[in-house]
Amino acid sequence: MLNVQQAPEDRYQRFADLAPFVREAISTIAALTPSQRLDVEFLEREFIPALGLNDELLHEQPPELAPSFGKGLHLWQYPNQLAPYLAWLAPMSTG
């Protein structure tokens, strides 16, 4: 868990350690089909949790997301909030 009491170099190292997960996420996003990019339910229930969720303030998180806590990208946004936004952005990314 990120701690504001940590020395700045420790906090920066935590984010530097996420680099492999960022590369993996980019590849995973690129591999999504156009229909998956627009499927809010898929994004919410499968895709976003698979990217990895935050592991702080867990009392605020839905318990069904527990397997994704503290993994991958450590996303803070609730999947049910982020999924509609990603689906809305998807048509814009096809340029």
Coordinates of all heavy atoms in Angstrom, one line a residue:
M1 N 0.8 -1.2 0.0 CA 0.0 0.0 0.0 C 0.9 1.2 0.0 O 1.9 1.3 0.7 CB -0.9 0.0 1.2 CG -1.8 1.2 1.2 SD -3.0 1.3 2.6 CE -3.1 -0.2 3.4
L2 N 0.5 2.2 -0.7 CA 1.2 3.5 -0.8 C 1.0 4.2 0.5 O -0.1 4.3 1.0 CB 0.7 4.4 -1.9 CG 1.4 5.7 -2.2 CD1 2.9 5.4 -2.5 CD2 0.8 6.4 -3.3
N3 N 2.1 4.7 1.1 CA 2.0 5.4 2.4 C 2.6 6.8 2.2 O 3.7 6.9 1.8 CB 2.8 4.6 3.4 CG 2.7 5.2 4.8 OD1 2.5 6.3 5.0 ND2 3.0 4.3 5.8
V4 N 1.8 7.8 2.6 CA 2.3 9.2 2.5 C 3.5 9.4 3.4 O 4.2 10.4 3.2 CB 1.2 10.2 2.7 CG1 0.1 10.1 1.7 CG2 0.7 10.1 4.1
Q5 N 3.8 8.6 4.3 CA 4.9 8.7 5.2 C 6.2 8.2 4.6 O 7.3 8.4 5.1 CB 4.7 7.9 6.5 CG 3.4 8.4 7.3 CD 3.5 9.8 7.8 OE1 4.6 10.3 8.1 NE2 2.4 10.5 7.8
Q6 N 6.1 7.5 3.5 CA 7.2 6.9 2.8 C 8.1 8.0 2.2 O 7.6 9.1 1.8 CB 6.8 6.0 1.6 CG 6.2 4.7 2.1 CD 5.8 3.9 0.9 OE1 5.0 4.4 0.0 NE2 6.2 2.7 0.8
A7 N 9.4 7.7 2.1 CA 10.3 8.7 1.5 C 9.9 8.8 0.0 O 9.5 7.8 -0.6 CB 11.7 8.1 1.6
P8 N 10.1 10.0 -0.6 CA 9.7 10.2 -2.0 C 10.3 9.1 -2.9 O 9.6 8.6 -3.8 CB 10.2 11.6 -2.3 CG 10.3 12.3 -1.0 CD 10.6 11.2 0.0
E9 N 11.6 8.7 -2.7 CA 12.2 7.8 -3.6 C 11.5 6.4 -3.5 O 11.4 5.7 -4.5 CB 13.7 7.6 -3.4 CG 14.1 7.3 -2.0 CD 14.2 8.4 -1.0 OE1 14.0 9.6 -1.4 OE2 14.6 8.2 0.1
D10 N 11.0 6.1 -2.3 CA 10.3 4.8 -2.2 C 8.9 4.9 -2.9 O 8.5 3.9 -3.6 CB 10.0 4.5 -0.7 CG 11.2 4.2 0.1 OD1 12.3 3.8 -0.5 OD2 11.2 4.3 1.3
R11 N 8.3 6.0 -2.9 CA 7.0 6.2 -3.6 C 7.2 6.1 -5.1 O 6.5 5.5 -5.8 CB 6.3 7.5 -3.2 CG 5.7 7.4 -1.8 CD 5.0 8.6 -1.5 NE 6.0 9.6 -1.2 CZ 5.7 10.9 -0.9 NH1 4.5 11.3 -0.9 NH2 6.7 11.7 -0.6
Y12 N 8.3 6.8 -5.6 CA 8.6 6.8 -7.0 C 8.9 5.4 -7.5 O 8.6 5.0 -8.6 CB 9.7 7.8 -7.3 CG 9.2 9.2 -7.1 CD1 10.1 10.0 -6.3 CD2 8.0 9.7 -7.5 CE1 9.7 11.3 -6.0 CE2 7.6 11.0 -7.2 CZ 8.5 11.8 -6.5 OH 8.1 13.1 -6.2
Q13 N 9.6 4.6 -6.6 CA 10.0 3.3 -7.0 C 8.8 2.4 -7.2 O 8.7 1.6 -8.1 CB 10.9 2.6 -6.0 CG 11.4 1.3 -6.4 CD 12.2 1.3 -7.7 OE1 13.1 2.1 -7.9 NE2 11.8 0.4 -8.6
R14 N 7.8 2.6 -6.3 CA 6.5 1.8 -6.4 C 5.9 2.0 -7.8 O 5.5 1.1 -8.4 CB 5.5 2.3 -5.3 CG 4.2 1.6 -5.5 CD 3.2 2.2 -4.4 NE 1.9 1.8 -4.7 CZ 1.2 0.9 -4.1 NH1 1.7 0.3 -3.1 NH2 -0.1 0.7 -4.4
F15 N 5.9 3.3 -8.3 CA 5.3 3.5 -9.6 C 6.2 3.0 -10.7 O 5.8 2.5 -11.7 CB 5.0 5.0 -9.8 CG 3.9 5.4 -8.8 CD1 4.1 6.2 -7.8 CD2 2.6 4.9 -9.0 CE1 3.1 6.6 -6.9 CE2 1.6 5.2 -8.1 CZ 1.8 6.1 -7.1
A16 N 7.5 3.1 -10.5 CA 8.5 2.6 -11.5 C 8.3 1.1 -11.6 O 8.4 0.5 -12.7 CB 9.9 2.9 -11.1
D17 N 7.9 0.4 -10.5 CA 7.7 -1.0 -10.5 C 6.5 -1.4 -11.3 O 6.3 -2.6 -11.7 CB 7.6 -1.6 -9.1 CG 8.9 -1.5 -8.3 OD1 10.0 -1.4 -9.0 OD2 8.8 -1.6 -7.1
L18 N 5.6 -0.5 -11.6 CA 4.4 -0.7 -12.4 C 4.7 -0.8 -13.9 O 3.8 -1.2 -14.7 CB 3.3 0.3 -12.1 CG 2.7 0.3 -10.7 CD1 1.8 1.4 -10.5 CD2 2.1 -1.0 -10.4
A19 N 5.8 -0.4 -14.3 CA 6.1 -0.3 -15.8 C 5.8 -1.6 -16.5 O 5.2 -1.5 -17.6 CB 7.6 0.1 -16.0
P20 N 6.1 -2.7 -16.1 CA 5.8 -3.9 -16.8 C 4.3 -4.1 -17.0 O 3.8 -4.6 -18.0 CB 6.4 -5.1 -16.0 CG 7.3 -4.5 -15.0 CD 6.9 -3.1 -14.9
F21 N 3.5 -3.7 -15.9 CA 2.1 -3.8 -16.0 C 1.5 -2.8 -17.0 O 0.5 -3.1 -17.7 CB 1.5 -3.6 -14.6 CG 1.9 -4.6 -13.6 CD1 2.8 -4.2 -12.6 CD2 1.5 -5.9 -13.7 CE1 3.2 -5.2 -11.7 CE2 2.0 -6.9 -12.8 CZ 2.8 -6.5 -11.8
V22 N 2.1 -1.7 -17.1 CA 1.7 -0.7 -18.1 C 1.9 -1.2 -19.5 O 1.0 -1.1 -20.4 CB 2.4 0.7 -17.9 CG1 2.1 1.6 -19.0 CG2 2.0 1.3 -16.6
R23 N 3.1 -1.8 -19.8 CA 3.3 -2.4 -21.1 C 2.3 -3.5 -21.4 O 1.8 -3.6 -22.5 CB 4.8 -2.9 -21.1 CG 5.8 -1.8 -21.3 CD 7.2 -2.4 -21.6 NE 7.8 -3.1 -20.5 CZ 8.4 -2.5 -19.5 NH1 8.6 -1.2 -19.5 NH2 9.0 -3.2 -18.5
E24 N 2.1 -4.3 -20.4 CA 1.1 -5.4 -20.6 C -0.3 -4.9 -20.9 O -1.0 -5.4 -21.7 CB 1.1 -6.3 -19.4 CG 0.2 -7.5 -19.5 CD 0.1 -8.4 -18.3 OE1 1.1 -8.4 -17.5 OE2 -0.9 -9.0 -18.1
A25 N -0.7 -3.8 -20.1 CA -2.0 -3.2 -20.3 C -2.1 -2.6 -21.8 O -3.2 -2.8 -22.4 CB -2.2 -2.1 -19.3
I26 N -1.1 -2.0 -22.2 CA -1.1 -1.5 -23.6 C -1.3 -2.6 -24.6 O -2.2 -2.4 -25.5 CB 0.2 -0.6 -23.9 CG1 0.2 0.6 -23.0 CG2 0.3 -0.3 -25.4 CD1 1.5 1.4 -23.0
S27 N -0.6 -3.7 -24.5 CA -0.8 -4.8 -25.4 C -2.2 -5.4 -25.3 O -2.8 -5.7 -26.3 CB 0.2 -5.9 -25.1 OG 1.5 -5.4 -25.3
T28 N -2.7 -5.5 -24.1 CA -4.1 -6.0 -23.8 C -5.1 -5.1 -24.5 O -6.1 -5.6 -25.1 CB -4.3 -6.2 -22.3 OG1 -3.3 -7.1 -21.8 CG2 -5.7 -6.8 -22.1
I29 N -5.0 -3.8 -24.3 CA -5.9 -2.8 -24.9 C -5.9 -2.9 -26.4 O -6.9 -3.0 -27.0 CB -5.6 -1.4 -24.4 CG1 -5.9 -1.3 -22.9 CG2 -6.4 -0.4 -25.2 CD1 -5.3 -0.1 -22.2
A30 N -4.7 -3.0 -26.9 CA -4.5 -3.1 -28.4 C -5.2 -4.4 -29.0 O -5.6 -4.4 -30.1 CB -3.1 -3.0 -28.8
A31 N -5.2 -5.4 -28.2 CA -5.8 -6.7 -28.6 C -7.3 -6.8 -28.5 O -7.9 -7.7 -29.0 CB -5.2 -7.8 -27.8
L32 N -7.9 -5.8 -27.9 CA -9.4 -5.8 -27.7 C -10.0 -5.7 -29.1 O -9.6 -4.9 -30.0 CB -9.9 -4.7 -26.9 CG -9.6 -4.8 -25.4 CD1 -10.1 -3.5 -24.7 CD2 -10.2 -6.0 -24.8
T33 N -11.1 -6.4 -29.3 CA -11.9 -6.3 -30.6 C -12.7 -5.0 -30.5 O -13.0 -4.5 -29.4 CB -12.8 -7.5 -30.8 OG1 -13.8 -7.4 -29.7 CG2 -12.1 -8.8 -30.7
P34 N -13.1 -4.5 -31.6 CA -14.0 -3.3 -31.6 C -15.2 -3.5 -30.7 O -15.6 -2.6 -30.0 CB -14.3 -3.1 -33.0 CG -13.1 -3.6 -33.8 CD -12.7 -4.8 -33.0
S35 N -15.8 -4.7 -30.8 CA -17.0 -4.9 -30.0 C -16.7 -5.0 -28.5 O -17.5 -4.5 -27.7 CB -17.7 -6.2 -30.4 OG -16.9 -7.3 -30.2
Q36 N -15.6 -5.5 -28.1 CA -15.2 -5.5 -26.7 C -14.9 -4.1 -26.2 O -15.3 -3.8 -25.0 CB -13.9 -6.4 -26.5 CG -14.1 -7.8 -26.6 CD -12.8 -8.6 -26.5 OE1 -11.8 -8.2 -27.1 NE2 -12.8 -9.7 -25.8
R37 N -14.4 -3.3 -27.0 CA -14.1 -1.9 -26.6 C -15.4 -1.1 -26.3 O -15.4 -0.1 -25.6 CB -13.3 -1.1 -27.7 CG -11.9 -1.6 -27.8 CD -11.2 -0.9 -28.9 NE -9.9 -1.6 -29.1 CZ -9.3 -1.7 -30.3 NH1 -9.9 -1.2 -31.3 NH2 -8.2 -2.3 -30.4
L38 N -16.5 -1.6 -26.9 CA -17.8 -0.9 -26.7 C -18.7 -1.6 -25.7 O -19.8 -1.1 -25.3 CB -18.5 -0.8 -28.0 CG -17.8 0.1 -29.1 CD1 -18.5 -0.1 -30.4 CD2 -17.7 1.5 -28.6
D39 N -18.3 -2.8 -25.2 CA -19.1 -3.6 -24.4 C -18.9 -3.2 -22.9 O -17.9 -3.7 -22.3 CB -18.8 -5.1 -24.6 CG -19.6 -6.0 -23.8 OD1 -20.3 -5.6 -22.8 OD2 -19.6 -7.2 -24.2
V40 N -19.7 -2.4 -22.4 CA -19.6 -1.8 -21.0 C -19.5 -2.9 -20.0 O -18.7 -2.9 -19.0 CB -20.7 -0.8 -20.7 CG1 -20.6 -0.4 -19.2 CG2 -20.5 0.4 -21.6
E41 N -20.4 -3.9 -20.1 CA -20.4 -5.0 -19.1 C -19.1 -5.8 -19.2 O -18.6 -6.1 -18.1 CB -21.6 -6.0 -19.4 CG -21.7 -7.0 -18.4 CD -23.0 -7.8 -18.5 OE1 -24.0 -7.3 -19.0 OE2 -23.0 -9.0 -18.0
F42 N -18.6 -6.1 -20.3 CA -17.3 -6.8 -20.4 C -16.2 -5.9 -19.8 O -15.4 -6.4 -19.0 CB -16.9 -7.1 -21.9 CG -15.5 -7.4 -22.1 CD1 -15.0 -8.6 -21.8 CD2 -14.6 -6.4 -22.7 CE1 -13.6 -8.9 -22.0 CE2 -13.3 -6.7 -22.9 CZ -12.8 -8.0 -22.5
L43 N -16.2 -4.6 -20.1 CA -15.1 -3.8 -19.6 C -15.2 -3.7 -18.1 O -14.2 -3.8 -17.4 CB -15.3 -2.3 -20.2 CG -15.0 -2.2 -21.7 CD1 -15.4 -0.8 -22.2 CD2 -13.6 -2.5 -22.0
E44 N -16.4 -3.6 -17.5 CA -16.6 -3.5 -16.1 C -16.3 -4.8 -15.4 O -15.6 -4.7 -14.3 CB -18.1 -3.1 -15.8 CG -18.4 -3.0 -14.3 CD -19.8 -2.7 -14.0 OE1 -20.6 -2.2 -14.9 OE2 -20.3 -3.1 -12.9
R45 N -16.8 -5.9 -15.8 CA -16.7 -7.1 -15.1 C -15.4 -7.9 -15.3 O -15.0 -8.7 -14.5 CB -17.9 -8.0 -15.3 CG -19.2 -7.3 -14.9 CD -20.4 -8.2 -15.1 NE -21.6 -7.4 -14.9 CZ -22.2 -7.2 -13.7 NH1 -21.6 -7.7 -12.6 NH2 -23.3 -6.6 -13.6
E46 N -14.8 -7.8 -16.5 CA -13.7 -8.6 -16.9 C -12.4 -7.8 -17.1 O -11.4 -8.0 -16.5 CB -14.0 -9.5 -18.1 CG -15.1 -10.5 -17.8 CD -15.4 -11.3 -19.1 OE1 -14.4 -11.7 -19.7 OE2 -16.6 -11.5 -19.4
F47 N -12.5 -6.8 -18.0 CA -11.3 -6.1 -18.5 C -10.7 -5.3 -17.4 O -9.5 -5.4 -17.1 CB -11.7 -5.3 -19.7 CG -10.5 -4.6 -20.3 CD1 -9.5 -5.2 -20.9 CD2 -10.4 -3.2 -20.1 CE1 -8.4 -4.5 -21.4 CE2 -9.3 -2.5 -20.6 CZ -8.3 -3.2 -21.2
I48 N -11.4 -4.4 -16.8 CA -10.9 -3.4 -15.9 C -10.3 -4.2 -14.6 O -9.2 -3.9 -14.2 CB -11.9 -2.3 -15.5 CG1 -12.1 -1.5 -16.7 CG2 -11.4 -1.5 -14.3 CD1 -13.3 -0.5 -16.6
P49 N -11.1 -5.1 -14.0 CA -10.5 -5.8 -12.9 C -9.2 -6.6 -13.3 O -8.3 -6.6 -12.5 CB -11.6 -6.8 -12.5 CG -12.8 -6.1 -12.9 CD -12.5 -5.4 -14.2
A50 N -9.1 -7.1 -14.5 CA -7.9 -7.8 -14.9 C -6.7 -6.9 -15.0 O -5.6 -7.3 -14.9 CB -8.2 -8.5 -16.3
L51 N -6.9 -5.6 -15.2 CA -5.8 -4.6 -15.3 C -5.2 -4.4 -13.9 O -4.1 -4.0 -13.8 CB -6.3 -3.3 -15.8 CG -6.6 -3.3 -17.3 CD1 -7.1 -1.9 -17.7 CD2 -5.5 -3.7 -18.2
G52 N -6.0 -4.7 -12.8 CA -5.5 -4.5 -11.5 C -6.1 -3.3 -10.8 O -6.1 -2.2 -11.4
L53 N -6.5 -3.4 -9.6 CA -7.2 -2.4 -8.8 C -6.4 -1.9 -7.6 O -5.6 -2.7 -7.0 CB -8.6 -2.8 -8.4 CG -9.5 -3.2 -9.6 CD1 -10.8 -3.8 -9.0 CD2 -9.7 -2.1 -10.5
N54 N -6.6 -0.7 -7.2 CA -6.0 -0.1 -6.0 C -6.1 -1.1 -4.8 O -7.1 -1.8 -4.6 CB -6.8 1.2 -5.7 CG -6.6 1.7 -4.3 OD1 -5.5 1.9 -3.9 ND2 -7.7 1.8 -3.6
D55 N -5.2 -1.0 -3.9 CA -5.2 -1.7 -2.6 C -5.2 -0.9 -1.4 O -4.8 -1.3 -0.3 CB -4.1 -2.7 -2.6 CG -2.7 -2.1 -2.6 OD1 -2.6 -0.9 -2.8 OD2 -1.7 -2.8 -2.3
E56 N -5.7 0.4 -1.5 CA -5.8 1.3 -0.4 C -7.3 1.6 -0.1 O -8.1 1.5 -1.0 CB -5.1 2.6 -0.7 CG -3.6 2.5 -1.0 CD -3.0 3.8 -1.4 OE1 -3.2 4.8 -0.7 OE2 -2.3 3.8 -2.5
L57 N -7.6 1.9 1.1 CA -8.9 2.2 1.5 C -9.9 1.1 1.1 O -11.0 1.4 0.5 CB -9.4 3.6 1.0 CG -8.5 4.7 1.4 CD1 -8.9 6.0 0.7 CD2 -8.5 4.9 2.9
L58 N -9.5 -0.1 1.3 CA -10.3 -1.3 0.8 C -11.7 -1.3 1.4 O -12.6 -1.9 0.8 CB -9.6 -2.6 1.1 CG -8.3 -2.7 0.3 CD1 -7.6 -4.0 0.7 CD2 -8.5 -2.7 -1.2
H59 N -12.0 -0.7 2.5 CA -13.3 -0.6 3.1 C -14.3 0.1 2.2 O -15.5 -0.1 2.3 CB -13.3 0.0 4.5 CG -13.0 1.4 4.5 ND1 -11.7 1.9 4.4 CD2 -13.7 2.5 4.5 CE1 -11.6 3.2 4.4 NE2 -12.9 3.6 4.5
E60 N -13.8 0.9 1.2 CA -14.6 1.6 0.3 C -14.8 0.8 -1.0 O -15.6 1.2 -1.9 CB -14.0 2.9 -0.1 CG -13.9 3.9 1.1 CD -13.2 5.2 0.7 OE1 -12.9 5.4 -0.5 OE2 -13.0 6.0 1.6
Q61 N -14.2 -0.3 -1.2 CA -14.2 -1.1 -2.4 C -15.2 -2.3 -2.3 O -15.4 -2.9 -1.2 CB -12.9 -1.7 -2.7 CG -11.8 -0.7 -2.9 CD -11.9 0.1 -4.2 OE1 -12.7 -0.3 -5.1 NE2 -11.2 1.2 -4.3
P62 N -15.9 -2.6 -3.3 CA -16.8 -3.7 -3.3 C -16.0 -5.0 -3.1 O -15.0 -5.3 -3.8 CB -17.5 -3.7 -4.7 CG -17.2 -2.4 -5.3 CD -16.0 -1.9 -4.6
P63 N -16.5 -5.9 -2.2 CA -15.7 -7.1 -1.9 C -15.6 -8.1 -3.0 O -14.6 -8.8 -3.1 CB -16.5 -7.7 -0.7 CG -17.8 -7.1 -0.7 CD -17.7 -5.7 -1.3
E64 N -16.5 -8.0 -4.0 CA -16.4 -9.0 -5.1 C -15.2 -8.6 -6.0 O -14.8 -9.4 -6.9 CB -17.7 -9.0 -5.9 CG -18.1 -7.7 -6.6 CD -19.0 -6.8 -5.7 OE1 -19.0 -7.0 -4.5 OE2 -19.6 -5.9 -6.3
L65 N -14.6 -7.5 -5.8 CA -13.4 -7.1 -6.6 C -12.1 -7.5 -5.9 O -11.0 -7.3 -6.5 CB -13.4 -5.6 -6.9 CG -14.6 -5.1 -7.8 CD1 -14.6 -3.6 -7.9 CD2 -14.6 -5.7 -9.2
A66 N -12.2 -8.1 -4.8 CA -11.0 -8.4 -3.9 C -9.9 -9.1 -4.7 O -8.7 -8.8 -4.5 CB -11.4 -9.2 -2.7
P67 N -10.2 -10.1 -5.6 CA -9.1 -10.7 -6.3 C -8.2 -9.8 -7.2 O -7.1 -10.2 -7.5 CB -9.8 -11.8 -7.2 CG -11.1 -12.0 -6.5 CD -11.5 -10.7 -5.9
S68 N -8.7 -8.6 -7.4 CA -8.0 -7.7 -8.3 C -7.3 -6.6 -7.5 O -6.5 -5.8 -8.0 CB -8.9 -7.0 -9.3 OG -9.6 -7.9 -10.1
F69 N -7.5 -6.5 -6.2 CA -6.9 -5.5 -5.3 C -5.3 -5.7 -5.3 O -4.9 -6.8 -5.1 CB -7.4 -5.5 -3.9 CG -8.9 -5.2 -3.8 CD1 -9.6 -5.6 -2.7 CD2 -9.5 -4.5 -4.8 CE1 -10.9 -5.3 -2.6 CE2 -10.9 -4.2 -4.6 CZ -11.6 -4.6 -3.5
G70 N -4.6 -4.6 -5.4 CA -3.2 -4.6 -5.2 C -2.4 -5.3 -6.3 O -1.3 -5.6 -6.2
K71 N -3.0 -5.4 -7.5 CA -2.4 -6.0 -8.6 C -2.3 -5.1 -9.8 O -3.1 -4.1 -9.9 CB -3.2 -7.3 -9.0 CG -3.2 -8.3 -7.9 CD -3.9 -9.6 -8.4 CE -3.9 -10.6 -7.2 NZ -4.7 -11.7 -7.5
G72 N -1.5 -5.4 -10.7 CA -1.4 -4.7 -12.0 C -1.3 -3.2 -11.9 O -0.3 -2.7 -11.2
L73 N -2.2 -2.4 -12.5 CA -2.1 -1.0 -12.6 C -2.5 -0.2 -11.3 O -2.3 1.0 -11.2 CB -2.9 -0.5 -13.8 CG -2.4 -0.9 -15.1 CD1 -3.3 -0.3 -16.2 CD2 -1.0 -0.5 -15.4
H74 N -3.2 -0.9 -10.4 CA -3.7 -0.3 -9.2 C -4.6 0.8 -9.5 O -4.6 1.9 -8.9 CB -2.5 0.2 -8.3 CG -1.7 -0.8 -7.7 ND1 -1.6 -1.1 -6.4 CD2 -0.8 -1.7 -8.3 CE1 -0.8 -2.1 -6.2 NE2 -0.3 -2.5 -7.3
L75 N -5.6 0.6 -10.4 CA -6.5 1.6 -10.8 C -7.4 2.0 -9.6 O -7.8 1.1 -8.8 CB -7.4 1.1 -11.9 CG -6.7 0.7 -13.2 CD1 -7.7 0.0 -14.1 CD2 -6.1 1.9 -13.8
W76 N -7.7 3.3 -9.5 CA -8.5 3.8 -8.4 C -10.0 3.8 -8.8 O -10.8 3.8 -7.9 CB -8.1 5.2 -8.0 CG -7.1 5.2 -6.9 CD1 -5.7 5.1 -7.0 CD2 -7.3 5.2 -5.5 NE1 -5.1 5.2 -5.8 CE2 -6.1 5.2 -4.8 CE3 -8.5 5.3 -4.8 CZ2 -6.0 5.3 -3.5 CZ3 -8.4 5.4 -3.4 CH2 -7.1 5.3 -2.7
Q77 N -10.2 4.1 -10.0 CA -11.6 4.2 -10.4 C -12.4 2.9 -10.3 O -11.9 1.9 -10.7 CB -11.7 4.7 -11.9 CG -13.0 5.2 -12.4 CD -13.3 6.6 -11.8 OE1 -12.4 7.4 -11.6 NE2 -14.6 6.8 -11.6
Y78 N -13.6 3.0 -9.8 CA -14.5 1.8 -9.8 C -14.8 1.4 -11.2 O -15.0 2.2 -12.1 CB -15.8 2.1 -9.1 CG -15.8 2.4 -7.6 CD1 -16.2 3.7 -7.1 CD2 -15.4 1.4 -6.8 CE1 -16.1 3.9 -5.8 CE2 -15.4 1.7 -5.4 CZ -15.8 2.9 -4.9 OH -15.7 3.1 -3.6
P79 N -14.7 0.1 -11.4 CA -15.0 -0.4 -12.8 C -16.3 0.0 -13.4 O -16.4 0.3 -14.5 CB -14.9 -1.9 -12.6 CG -14.0 -2.2 -11.5 CD -14.3 -1.0 -10.5
N80 N -17.4 0.1 -12.5 CA -18.7 0.5 -13.0 C -18.7 2.0 -13.4 O -19.6 2.5 -14.1 CB -19.8 0.2 -12.0 CG -19.7 0.9 -10.8 OD1 -18.7 1.5 -10.4 ND2 -20.9 1.0 -10.1
Q81 N -17.7 2.8 -13.0 CA -17.6 4.2 -13.3 C -16.7 4.3 -14.6 O -17.0 5.1 -15.5 CB -17.0 5.0 -12.2 CG -17.9 5.1 -11.0 CD -17.1 5.7 -9.8 OE1 -15.9 5.5 -9.6 NE2 -17.9 6.4 -8.9
L82 N -15.6 3.6 -14.6 CA -14.7 3.7 -15.7 C -15.1 3.0 -17.0 O -14.9 3.5 -18.1 CB -13.3 3.1 -15.2 CG -12.1 3.2 -16.2 CD1 -11.9 4.6 -16.6 CD2 -10.9 2.5 -15.5
A83 N -15.9 1.9 -16.9 CA -16.3 1.2 -18.1 C -17.1 2.0 -19.1 O -16.8 2.0 -20.3 CB -17.0 -0.1 -17.7
P84 N -18.1 2.8 -18.6 CA -18.9 3.6 -19.6 C -18.0 4.6 -20.3 O -18.1 5.0 -21.4 CB -20.0 4.2 -18.8 CG -20.1 3.3 -17.6 CD -18.7 2.8 -17.3
Y85 N -17.1 5.2 -19.5 CA -16.2 6.2 -20.1 C -15.2 5.6 -21.1 O -15.1 6.2 -22.2 CB -15.3 6.8 -18.9 CG -14.4 7.9 -19.4 CD1 -14.8 9.1 -20.0 CD2 -13.0 7.7 -19.3 CE1 -13.9 10.0 -20.4 CE2 -12.1 8.6 -19.7 CZ -12.6 9.8 -20.3 OH -11.7 10.8 -20.7
L86 N -14.7 4.4 -20.9 CA -13.8 3.8 -21.9 C -14.6 3.4 -23.1 O -14.1 3.6 -24.2 CB -13.2 2.5 -21.3 CG -12.2 2.7 -20.2 CD1 -11.7 1.3 -19.7 CD2 -11.1 3.5 -20.6
A87 N -15.8 3.0 -23.0 CA -16.7 2.7 -24.1 C -17.0 3.9 -24.9 O -17.0 3.9 -26.1 CB -18.0 2.0 -23.7
W88 N -17.2 5.0 -24.2 CA -17.4 6.3 -24.9 C -16.2 6.8 -25.6 O -16.3 7.3 -26.7 CB -17.8 7.4 -23.8 CG -18.1 8.7 -24.4 CD1 -19.2 9.2 -25.0 CD2 -17.2 9.8 -24.3 NE1 -19.0 10.5 -25.4 CE2 -17.8 10.9 -24.9 CE3 -15.9 10.0 -23.7 CZ2 -17.2 12.2 -25.0 CZ3 -15.4 11.3 -23.7 CH2 -16.0 12.3 -24.4
L89 N -15.0 6.5 -25.1 CA -13.8 6.9 -25.8 C -13.4 6.1 -26.9 O -12.7 6.5 -27.9 CB -12.6 6.9 -24.8 CG -12.5 7.9 -23.7 CD1 -11.3 7.6 -22.8 CD2 -12.3 9.3 -24.3
A90 N -13.9 4.8 -26.9 CA -13.4 3.8 -28.0 C -13.6 4.3 -29.4 O -12.7 4.2 -30.2 CB -14.1 2.5 -27.7
P91 N -14.8 4.9 -29.8 CA -14.9 5.3 -31.2 C -14.0 6.4 -31.6 O -13.6 6.5 -32.7 CB -16.4 5.8 -31.3 CG -17.1 5.1 -30.1 CD -16.1 5.0 -29.0
M92 N -13.6 7.2 -30.6 CA -12.7 8.3 -30.8 C -11.3 7.8 -31.1 O -10.5 8.5 -31.8 CB -12.6 9.3 -29.7 CG -14.0 9.9 -29.4 SD -13.8 10.9 -28.0 CE -15.5 10.9 -27.4
S93 N -10.9 6.6 -30.6 CA -9.6 6.1 -30.8 C -9.3 5.4 -32.1 O -8.2 5.1 -32.5 CB -9.2 5.1 -29.7 OG -10.0 4.0 -29.8
T94 N -10.4 5.2 -32.9 CA -10.3 4.5 -34.2 C -9.9 5.5 -35.3 O -9.6 5.1 -36.4 CB -11.5 3.8 -34.5 OG1 -12.6 4.7 -34.6 CG2 -11.8 2.7 -33.5
G95 N -10.0 6.8 -34.9 CA -9.6 7.9 -35.8 C -10.0 7.8 -37.2 O -9.6 8.1 -38.2

